[in-house]
């Protein structure tokens, strides 16, 4: 069952064939080298950072409405063209943030002692996300004082109720 599902997945998603082959070869190499479990430590963190990068970044393609723009229209209804342009840039800023977090995490894991990497991922991860969010919020309230700014609770509710799978057309 699992084997046939994997074959179906690879056949129906030809762009993912290389990723599937690389994953299988990586697993075989890992098993052959008798690698130890610590090499798996960064996988969940990198998966989250890269998953969020993908979630935000895929909406920056031509013809797509940026994720933060979609979220802003979900909360506020129609938004102005300058605000749509700004929210698109904020989506890009979050992409850069997630890419930087993944890169720093990987570099710390490869070149620093494990406790240093662990402090970054376990203790600094959430504060850095909060600083990014609050920094953008402060900039937005200063740059666009006439735009109605949603509360943090409203934003969290909007994220909870938001349909991330919807592919909205661009503006």
């Amino acid at each position: 069952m699992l084997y046939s599902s994997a074959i179906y997945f690879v056949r129906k998603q030809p762009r993912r064939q290389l990723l599937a082959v690389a994953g299988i070869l990586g697993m075989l190499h890992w098993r052959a080298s008798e690698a130890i479990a610590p090499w798996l430590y960064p996988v969940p963190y990198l998966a989250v950072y890269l998953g969020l990068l993908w979630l935000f970044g895929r909406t920056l393609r031509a013809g797509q409405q940026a994720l933060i723009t979609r979220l802003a229209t979900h909360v506020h209804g129609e938004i102005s063209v300058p605000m749509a342009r700004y929210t698109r840039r904020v989506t890009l800023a979050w992409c850069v943030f997630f890419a930087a977090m993944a890169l720093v995490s990987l570099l710390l894991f490869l070149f620093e002692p494990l406790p240093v990497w662990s402090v970054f991922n376990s203790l600094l991860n959430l504060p850095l996300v909060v600083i990014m969010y609050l920094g953008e919020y402060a900039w937005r309230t200063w740059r666009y004082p006439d735009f109605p700014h949603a509360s943090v609770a409203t934003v969290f509710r909007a994220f909870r109720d938001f349909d991330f799978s919807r592919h909205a057309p661009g503006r």
Side-chain angles (χ1 to χ4, degrees), residues 80-108:
S80 66
V81 172
M83 186 53 68
R85 192 175 19 232
Y86 172 76
T87 55
R88 186 170 189 82
R89 290 179 183 149
V90 171
T91 304
L92 178 61
W94 277 105
C95 289
V96 170
F97 176 80
F98 295 133
M101 292 290 284
L103 181 62
V104 169
S105 179
L106 182 61
L107 291 175
L108 287 175

Side-chain angles (χ1 to χ4, degrees), residues 44-65:
Y45 297 100
L46 293 175
V48 168
Y49 298 140
L50 296 176
L52 287 168
L53 174 60
W54 175 81
L55 179 70
F56 281 65
R58 72 187 178 112
T59 65
L60 292 173
R61 293 181 295 192
Q64 294 288 317
Q65 189 178 45

